């Protein structure tokens, strides 16, 4: 996992530093699905005791990044294709409806913001930066969805985006070909919103956009040996 020590940020804690370090390495797939987390080894590499590392791992377990296996211990959570598909189908429905119900209400400043984000997405795609791309991708969809008048739906969406953070980042890391495709689909979605296309058309397009990423990632997961980044 690398030998560089991690120190707590000013005002932070060793547990927080360990958490951020491990979470980042999981998200970046430096620690791939199925990788064992040996607490003593991690503690030595981070130049701290086992206690804060254990606290960090428990926090990661609560967030779904880590799971405990009997006779194995802590390991990076594997992505189950069926669970992944079900989660992304749910997200597709939520994003599609939120985008559609907000399309008639969204303002020009929000559309300008979405355009700027998508241009930045294109740059991140060219750099192959999965982590930055996925963060911007969420910002793009959040900008379009935020115009929906259904505040309960938006709150549910925020929870789903947070819960699926790891999976979404892994999706683009698994299928880099989706970078350019996703950018082009964003452009098409923006045109639908800008031209005030029928709500049903916007909803279907936004939903299918998310599902394309899901299906591409599943194909990659099924072809990828377990434990490989």
């Amino acid at each position: 996992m690398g030998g560089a020590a991690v120190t707590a940020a000013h005002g932070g804690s060793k547990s927080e530093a360990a958490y951020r370090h491990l979470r980042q390495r999981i998200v970046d797939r430096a620690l791939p699905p199925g990788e064992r987390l040996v607490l003593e080894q991690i503690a030595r590499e981070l130049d701290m005791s086992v206690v804060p590392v254990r606290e960090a791992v428990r926090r990661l377990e609560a967030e779904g990044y880590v799971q405990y296996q009997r006779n194995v211990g802590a390991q990076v959570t594997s992505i189950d294709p069926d669970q992944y598909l079900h989660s992304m189908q749910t997200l597709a429905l939520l994003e599609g409806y939120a985008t559609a119900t907000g399309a008639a209400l969204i303002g020009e400043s929000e559309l300008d913001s979405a355009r700027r984000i998508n241009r930045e997405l294109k740059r991140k795609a060219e750099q192959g930066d999965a982590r930055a791309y996925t963060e911007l991708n969420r910002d793009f969809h959040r900008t379009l969805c935020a115009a929906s008048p259904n505040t309960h739906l938006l709150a549910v969406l925020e929870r789903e985006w947070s819960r699926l953070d790891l999976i979404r980042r892994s999706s683009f890391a698994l299928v880099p070909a989706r970078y350019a495709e996703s950018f082009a689909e964003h452009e098409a979605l923006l045109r639908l919103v800008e031209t005030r296309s029928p709500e049903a058309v916007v909803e279907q397009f936004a939903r299918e956009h998310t599902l394309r990423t899901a299906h591409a990632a599943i194909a990659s997961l099924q072809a990828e040996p377990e434990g490989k980044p």
Side-chain angles (χ1 to χ4, degrees), residues 38 52 76 79 94 146 194 198 225:
V38 182
V76 178
I79 300 174
L94 294 172
E194 290 168 341

Side-chain angles (χ1 to χ4, degrees), residues 148-208:
S148 172
N150 190 328
T151 56
H152 178 72
L153 171 63
L154 296 179
V156 174
L157 254 178
E158 286 293 340
R159 290 196 294 272
E160 283 300 298
W161 280 326
S162 179
R163 190 177 69 83
L164 291 173
D165 190 45
L166 172 61
I167 294 178
R168 298 269 280 187
R169 292 186 184 196
S170 297
S171 299
F172 288 110
L174 285 166
V175 282
R178 275 296 293 163
Y179 287 135
E181 295 171 355
S182 183
F183 167 80
E185 289 165 17
H186 284 174
E187 290 287 292
L189 180 57
L190 279 170
R191 285 193 294 273
L192 290 176
V193 174
E194 290 168 341
T195 57
R196 308 302 180 187
S197 297
E199 188 173 295
V201 174
V202 175
E203 181 175 1
Q204 181 177 355
F205 188 92
R207 182 171 65 246
E208 291 178 352

Side-chain angles (χ1 to χ4, degrees), residues 7-37:
T7 57
H10 179 68
S13 69
K14 289 185 176 181
S15 175
E16 177 70 19
Y19 163 80
R20 291 184 178 276
H21 175 75
L22 290 172
R23 182 180 182 277
Q24 191 62 63
R25 291 183 67 77
I26 291 171
V27 165
D28 290 340
R29 294 177 66 81
L31 291 173
E35 179 84 359
R36 284 191 64 207
L37 301 178

Side-chain angles (χ1 to χ4, degrees), residues 42 44 69 150 176 220:
I42 296 170
R44 286 195 300 271
Q69 293 288 340
N150 190 328
S220 180

Side-chain angles (χ1 to χ4, degrees), residues 4-75:
V6 173
T7 57
H10 179 68
S13 69
K14 289 185 176 181
S15 175
E16 177 70 19
Y19 163 80
R20 291 184 178 276
H21 175 75
L22 290 172
R23 182 180 182 277
Q24 191 62 63
R25 291 183 67 77
I26 291 171
V27 165
D28 290 340
R29 294 177 66 81
L31 291 173
E35 179 84 359
R36 284 191 64 207
L37 301 178
V38 182
L39 304 192
E40 294 80 3
Q41 177 184 343
I42 296 170
R44 286 195 300 271
E45 292 171 349
L46 302 185
D47 193 24
M48 60 179 64
S49 71
V50 172
V51 173
V53 174
R54 183 178 293 112
E55 292 174 353
V57 170
R58 285 174 178 166
R59 182 175 170 187
L60 289 165
E61 181 190 14
E63 295 176 354
Y65 290 91
V66 170
Q67 61 188 10
Y68 276 87
Q69 293 288 340
R70 188 176 180 181
N71 300 323
V72 175
Q75 63 184 70

